[in-house]
């Protein structure tokens, strides 16, 4: 059974780029008679904004999205991440690391980790992280939009599983939660394509079910920056729901009936499900957002 998901982080409100990802994920799940789930990836308290989770949920509701199970909060799943880390430690698929970001840069001149602690015994008992051991591992998969991808194009690295501040890192949490939720398909932005290599390598190491990925293009602003919270993308509002849904469908390469210009959001989404074709999504968006 097809099970998809949308998993925003509560570091701010949803913007038009978020809508593109949510809409593509939602339509693909519904077109395939699957389930569409909502998860809030709230694992980084220092970056989270108060009230952002509630605003995200409210905005999705305003735009007519309906999720098929209870909302999952990553902040309630710490014990599952620890179990996965213990499994990797036992399998010697990860290792402790005492290097700070500053030390890595001073040693290498960049932020790419050099496996220093893989070959050097850790002397600290506190402020250590755990890193995935990528040596000897290769990954290849067929992305439903971008085509064949592999670790030769997006090299694996010894990414962090648990941070020095004891917060869980993105890859471990996502791999564990997607498995626990039964997720089979993930439709998300192209900016996360390289992360899929790490995620699939971790899924293999944990003996979990592989994920089918599809990465849509990212929308950019007039300065050529990815539309994001970091580039101060404006939050979605309830005033332009129909317009934004139709614009998103057009950008995603889907056929939009002119009759929908006067339709309500439910009619727009229902018609979009009927007409959805993931193969029509372009490899790049030509329209820049203001």
């Amino acid at each position: 059974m097809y099970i998809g998901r949308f998993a925003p982080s509560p570091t701010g409100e949803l913007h038009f780029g978020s809508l593109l990802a949510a809409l593509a994920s939602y339509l693909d799940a519904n077109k395939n008679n699957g389930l569409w789930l909502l998860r809030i990836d709230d694992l980084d308290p220092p970056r989270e904004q108060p009230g952002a989770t509630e605003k995200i949920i409210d905005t999705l509701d305003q735009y007519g999205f309906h999720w098929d199970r209870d909302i999952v909060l990553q902040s309630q799943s710490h014990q599952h991440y620890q179990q996965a880390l213990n499994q990797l430690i036992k399998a010697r698929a990860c290792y402790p690391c005492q290097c700070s970001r500053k030390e890595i840069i001073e040693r290498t001149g960049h932020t790419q980790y050099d496996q220093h602690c893989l070959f050097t015994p850790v002397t600290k008992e506190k402020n250590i992280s755990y890193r995935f051991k990528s040596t000897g591992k290769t990954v290849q998969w067929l992305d439903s939009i971008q085509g064949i991808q592999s670790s030769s194009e997006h090299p694996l690295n010894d990414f962090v599983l648990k941070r020095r501040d004891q917060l869980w890192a993105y890859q471990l949490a996502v791999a564990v939660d997607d498995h626990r939720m039964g997720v089979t398909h993930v439709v998300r932005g192209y900016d996360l394509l390289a992360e899929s290599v790490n995620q699939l390598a971790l899924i293999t190491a944990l003996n979990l079910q592989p994920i089918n990925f599809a990465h849509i293009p990212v929308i950019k602003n007039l300065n050529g920056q990815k539309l994001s919270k970091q580039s101060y993308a404006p939050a979605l509002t309830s005033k332009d729901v129909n317009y934004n849904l139709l614009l998103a469908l057009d950008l995603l390469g889907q056929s939009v009936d002119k009759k929908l210009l006067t339709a309500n959001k439910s009619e727009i989404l229902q018609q979009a499900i009927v007409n959805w074709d993931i193969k029509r999504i372009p490899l790049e968006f030509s329209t820049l957002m203001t």
Side-chain angles (χ1 to χ4, degrees):
M1 181 180 186
Y2 185 118
I3 300 180
R5 54 85 165 164
F6 180 56
S9 299
T11 54
E13 298 183 53
L14 297 182
H15 50 77
F16 189 79
S18 311
L19 177 63
L20 284 165
L23 184 61
S25 174
Y26 180 82
L27 296 179
D28 203 54
N30 281 277
K31 180 69 174 185
N32 287 283
N33 297 312
L35 301 179
W36 190 72
L37 311 182
L38 176 60
R39 185 178 72 229
I40 303 297
D41 287 359
D42 56 343
L43 278 184
D44 197 351
R47 295 181 60 238
E48 292 168 17
Q49 291 188 8
T53 293
E54 291 75 17
K55 290 178 181 177
I56 287 171
I57 294 171
D58 185 54
T59 299
L60 290 172
D61 184 60
Q62 289 175 355
Y63 274 74
F65 294 102
H66 299 286
W67 39 97
D68 295 303
R69 291 178 182 167
D70 291 340
I71 298 171
V72 173
L73 300 176
Q74 283 195 325
S75 57
Q76 298 177 355
S77 301
H78 293 273
Q79 72 275 19
H80 299 290
Y81 309 146
Q82 187 61 55
Q83 290 171 3
L85 180 61
N86 292 342
Q87 179 181 338
L88 294 170
I89 292 172
K90 185 176 181 180
R92 297 184 179 180
C94 68
Y95 59 93
C97 173
Q98 61 188 8
C99 301
S100 67
R101 182 183 179 88
K102 180 181 178 181
E103 289 170 338
I104 296 170
I105 294 174
E106 288 177 346
R107 193 169 58 240
T108 66
H110 50 73
T111 58
Q112 182 76 25
Y113 192 60
D114 58 356
Q115 297 186 314
H116 176 78
C117 289
L118 179 58
F119 306 105
T120 305
V122 171
T123 57
K124 296 179 181 178
E125 293 185 3
K126 296 182 179 181
N127 297 324
I128 64 169
S129 63
Y130 278 89
R131 289 182 177 273
F132 182 74
K133 189 191 298 182
S134 64
T135 304
K137 296 178 176 64
T138 58
V139 176
Q140 182 170 312
W141 82 96
L142 178 62
D143 188 277
S144 297
I145 297 172
Q146 304 296 330
I148 295 176
Q149 306 293 317
S150 72
S151 49
S152 61
E153 300 173 78
H154 312 284
L156 275 165
N157 59 78
D158 288 12
F159 54 90
V160 173
L161 302 171
K162 192 173 188 179
R163 293 166 23 178
R164 295 173 74 238
D165 58 9
Q166 300 306 292
L167 293 178
W168 295 103
Y170 171 79
Q171 290 296 355
L172 181 66
V174 168
V176 170
D177 282 331
D178 281 347
H179 174 71
R180 291 181 59 240
M181 295 167 67
V183 171
T184 61
H185 293 71
V186 171
V187 182
R188 60 186 183 185
Y190 182 85
D191 53 318
L192 292 171
L193 182 66
E195 297 290 353
S196 299
V197 178
N198 296 339
Q199 189 172 342
L200 286 168
L202 185 54
I203 284 172
T204 299
L206 289 168
N207 298 314
L208 306 179
Q209 186 68 27
I211 299 286
N212 294 285
F213 285 108
H215 290 83
I216 69 171
V218 295
I219 193 74
K220 298 178 181 179
N221 62 23
L222 293 176
N223 295 321
Q225 301 169 308
K226 184 192 82 168
L227 207 64
S228 67
K229 298 157 190 172
Q230 289 73 32
S231 62
Y232 305 103
L236 294 172
T237 70
S238 59
K239 295 189 302 181
D240 304 309
V241 171
N242 290 15
Y243 173 82
N244 285 336
L245 285 173
L246 292 171
L247 176 59
L249 287 169
D250 184 57
L251 286 168
L252 290 168
Q254 306 305 303
S255 59
V256 178
D257 192 327
K258 292 183 179 180
K259 295 179 182 178
L260 294 177
L261 293 173
T262 56
N264 59 46
K265 60 189 178 186
S266 296
E267 293 171 325
I268 292 173
L269 289 174
Q270 286 303 314
Q271 190 62 39
I273 292 170
V274 172
N275 295 331
W276 177 253
D277 184 356
I278 197 170
K279 293 184 173 61
R280 298 184 65 176
I281 297 177
L283 294 179
E284 185 176 353
F285 292 139
S286 58
T287 303
L288 298 178
M289 302 298 295
T290 55

